[in-house]
Amino acid sequence: MTTRPLDAAPADRAADVHCASVAKTFADGTAALHEVDLHCPPGAITVLLGPSGCGKTTLLRCIAGLETPTSGSIHLGDHDVTHADPRSRGVAMVFQNYGLYPNKTVYGNIEYPLRMARVPKRERRDRVARVAKLLRIDHLLERQPAQLSGGQRQRVGIGRALVREPAVLLMDEPLSSLDAELRVSMRTEIRALQRKLGTTMVYVTHDQTEALGLADQLVVLREGRIEHSGDPEEIYGSPATTFVARFLGAMNLLDAQPLGLPPGTVGIRPEDLSLGEAPGALTLRGPVVDADLIGTERMVHFRCGRQTARIRMRAADPVPAEITAHAPTDRIHRFDTEGNRTGD
Ligand code: ATP
């Protein structure tokens, strides 16, 4: 069926993804995933975020069918696809390096999956044309990948995935080889495109800014397990563990006891510290040890006892030799000695 325009939201086609107790141990004994339970809602962007080696790509490859879980099951919509052939799943994947064929034109690259699926020539032509127009690369169809910019190559990679009209679109760090400015604009484009198409998307990144900017649902992975998942603002506002707090927004995490508090960890975001003292607030005081310029702001590192904390200051203000800073009690996060959030 090709009568439905590609840019109409195919809400009927977007499938949800269900991973139930998915574990993956590779042949060499590396346990990459442990009992992962994940639901990716239809028509939304789920972002898998975590440090290198935490299992993001392995989980995505299990959903795509490029890896088979050691145990557990994967459903796309109503279908159990745990052992299904990747081509029969209705998923498409965009890789980090785009994986374009260097000797094919842009047209040939986007058309290729349709050829493999034995789609008739005329329909192939129509579908490639629609996708190319949607991604604004219709003027580049005769070029070869080497004649394209990074951003254009990235669009071709996305086009080749979209042309299959997948129920689920999987993206593995698709922006990591682009420069900072292009990353930001492509991120906006990917989000707009996903909104327009209504496709279910699972997006892998280790970049917290990208994750917060894209996610409808954020899933933070650590050593093959889900550490915290849910609404990105909620996770940022109330991280479940010190790991999530450190990874998302680089929170100050200080041993509570030297600050005169019960054992555990105190978390304070650098932007929640203000200069000076205030009644009832937690005060930190000590000499400045370092300062990094970040655009119009500066991250100033200062000692408090044997620990170091960071405060955000305006770049225009002079860096003092010593900092006295306070955080209101409602901006203080408390974690127990195991690193789990307490006392909300
Ligand atoms: P990155 O951001 O660096 O890509 P990731 O979070 O995507 O990391 P994975 O690629 O999923 O992590 O890897 C998870 C773990 O599984 C790592 O320890 C990795 O070395 C291991 N691993 C991945 N593929 C294989 C394989 N084919 N054989 C053995 N171990 C593997």
Side-chain angles (χ1 to χ4, degrees), residues 126-197:
D126 290 351
R127 281 167 70 169
V128 174
R130 276 206 308 275
V131 164
K133 188 154 177 271
L134 185 68
L135 293 166
R136 291 181 283 110
I137 46 174
D138 39 348
H139 58 298
L140 302 172
L141 288 171
E142 296 313 315
R143 293 218 194 151
Q144 297 205 319
Q147 300 168 302
L148 302 175
S149 72
Q152 291 166 339
R153 268 200 285 267
Q154 206 265 358
R155 285 193 185 88
V156 178
I158 295 175
R160 197 175 53 180
L162 282 183
V163 81
R164 296 169 54 192
E165 304 186 358
V168 179
L169 183 59
L170 308 175
M171 294 200 166
D172 191 358
E173 308 234 14
L175 306 183
S176 55
S177 53
L178 304 180
D179 65 50
E181 198 181 334
L182 197 53
R183 280 180 85 118
V184 174
S185 63
M186 285 305 298
R187 190 165 81 212
T188 312
E189 278 192 37
I190 286 177
R191 194 171 168 91
L193 192 67
Q194 187 277 337
R195 290 289 181 260
K196 196 167 177 182
L197 297 175

Side-chain angles (χ1 to χ4, degrees), residues 24-33 50-61 67 96 172-173 204-206 221 224:
K24 176 70 186 179
T25 301
F26 287 103
D28 67 355
T30 306
L33 297 173
S52 183
C54 70
K56 308 179 293 290
T57 298
T58 304
L59 184 54
L60 204 69
R61 287 173 61 83
E67 301 286 356
Q96 197 169 348
D172 191 358
E173 308 234 14
V204 160
T205 183
H206 62 263
L221 284 170

Side-chain angles (χ1 to χ4, degrees), residues 4 37 47 78 84 103 115 133 216 233:
R4 183 186 46 72
D37 289 309
V47 175
D78 296 333
N103 300 326
R115 267 181 183 273
K133 188 154 177 271
D216 296 308
E233 277 182 41

